[in-house]
Amino acid sequence: MKNREFNLPPVPAVLLAIISVQCGAAIAKTLFPVIGAAGTASLRIGISALILLLAYRPNFKNITRAQWKIVIPYGVSLGAMNLVFYFAIERIPIGLAVTLEFVGPLLLAIIGSKRLIDYCWVLLAAIGILFIAPWTNDRLDSLGVLFALLAGAFWAGYIVLGGKISKIMNSGYAVSTGMLFAAILVLPFGFLENGFVNLTPKFFGMGIALALLSSAIPFTLEMKALGQLPPRTFSILMSLEPAAASICGFIFLQENLNLYEIFAVICVIIASAGSTLTAKK
């Protein structure tokens, strides 16, 4: 009898990856009071780097100078994106942080476009963001909003650099080497925050779960789905991230969004999916 490998269809795989990432973010936020945002980011990135390095075993001697020039900033942008995002969700609800973070990829998608429809998507996203801006909502922390937008900028840089490194380097080697440099960037912040002073076996175990949920599991699911789905379909599904983040924040952290904030999330989701549908190749 043949062994049948469990093969999840691509659309459920992407949806499961999205849920996995946002559940990981919810777990991360529960660790903040104990080891801090920087300590949690350090734990996640450090463990993820170890897992990926053991899984792919990149040979650093074979990496060319041209590859180093891209994979290092790729890893730095990855680390900065995660660290700054954790600083954001320390201060504002996860759903709103992810919504604001999506502005980076959205702007990246329409850069250079001269078509009216693309500017309409940006305008829609801007309207949504105005509804959750700190000046209209006293419960939102201004610094948290700025951190979320900065995370979006790092995300855009990560996308650009990821596209470049994927053309000249094996994806497994690239992501494992990049994660190593992400850890080199983030770990000092964890030590400066003294986040590891309160680290116990229980919290270390939660860090492993966090690394699996936020990196290993979604990365594997997304890679499989990308091999079976058109990139446009994949991008539209990924536009559901703000909604998934809002739901996970509500279920696990009791983060309730008001009507204005829900409207903002919907605006950004529609803008992100719309820009994907109308984008050129």
Side-chain angles (χ1 to χ4, degrees):
M1 185 176 178
K2 292 182 179 179
N3 288 326
R4 291 187 178 179
E5 182 183 352
F6 176 72
N7 191 16
L8 195 65
V11 172
V14 175
L15 296 176
L16 186 58
I18 291 171
I19 293 169
S20 179
V21 168
Q22 300 310 329
C23 286
I27 289 176
K29 197 159 183 174
T30 63
L31 288 171
F32 289 175
V34 183
I35 61 176
T40 305
S42 300
L43 193 62
R44 172 197 163 182
I45 301 264
I47 294 173
S48 296
L50 285 175
I51 292 172
L52 290 168
L53 287 169
L54 288 172
Y56 292 105
R57 300 179 182 274
N59 188 337
F60 299 129
K61 291 181 181 179
N62 292 337
I63 298 177
T64 66
R65 186 176 179 180
Q67 290 171 332
W68 280 122
K69 281 184 176 180
I70 301 178
V71 78
I72 291 175
Y74 163 76
V76 169
S77 64
L78 172 61
M81 175 181 68
N82 283 280
L83 178 64
V84 173
F85 177 72
Y86 277 14
F87 286 155
I89 64 173
E90 186 179 27
R91 292 166 172 80
I92 63 176
I94 291 175
L96 300 186
V98 173
T99 299
L100 290 165
E101 188 187 27
F102 252 72
V103 173
L106 177 61
L107 290 175
L108 180 65
I110 60 94
I111 284 177
S113 174
K114 295 181 180 179
R115 297 185 303 165
L116 179 61
I117 186 66
D118 291 326
Y119 291 106
C120 290
W121 299 128
V122 174
L123 179 62
L124 180 61
I127 290 170
I129 290 169
L130 285 174
F131 272 90
I132 58 173
W135 53 83
T136 62
N137 191 338
D138 292 336
R139 78 191 185 104
L140 278 189
D141 182 281
S142 300
L143 190 57
V145 170
L146 288 175
F147 278 138
L149 292 172
L150 184 58
F154 282 124
W155 191 2
Y158 165 78
I159 291 169
V160 172
L161 292 165
K164 289 182 178 179
I165 196 64
S166 67
K167 295 175 183 177
I168 62 172
M169 193 174 181
N170 173 277
S171 61
Y173 293 165
V175 74
S176 54
T177 306
M179 191 66 79
L180 173 62
F181 284 96
I184 291 171
L185 171 73
V186 174
L187 281 170
F189 288 92
F191 285 107
L192 284 171
E193 197 178 48
N194 291 323
F196 300 126
V197 172
N198 299 321
L199 192 61
T200 63
K202 174 187 174 182
F203 294 129
F204 186 76
M206 290 177 70
I208 294 174
L210 176 59
L212 290 171
L213 284 170
S214 299
S215 300
I217 292 174
F219 176 75
T220 303
L221 290 171
E222 287 171 7
M223 286 302 102
K224 283 195 172 186
L226 276 168
Q228 303 173 61
L229 282 177
R232 183 165 291 188
T233 305
F234 179 83
S235 297
I236 291 171
L237 289 170
M238 292 301 289
S239 299
L240 296 173
E241 288 245 20
S246 302
I247 293 169
C248 287
F250 174 75
I251 294 173
F252 298 110
L253 301 169
Q254 289 73 55
E255 292 180 343
N256 298 309
L257 302 185
N258 60 38
L259 287 176
Y260 291 111
E261 292 164 345
I262 292 171
F263 178 75
V265 171
I266 292 171
C267 283
V268 172
I269 289 172
I270 294 173
S272 179
S275 68
T276 300
L277 281 170
T278 61
K280 293 181 180 179
K281 185 176 178 180

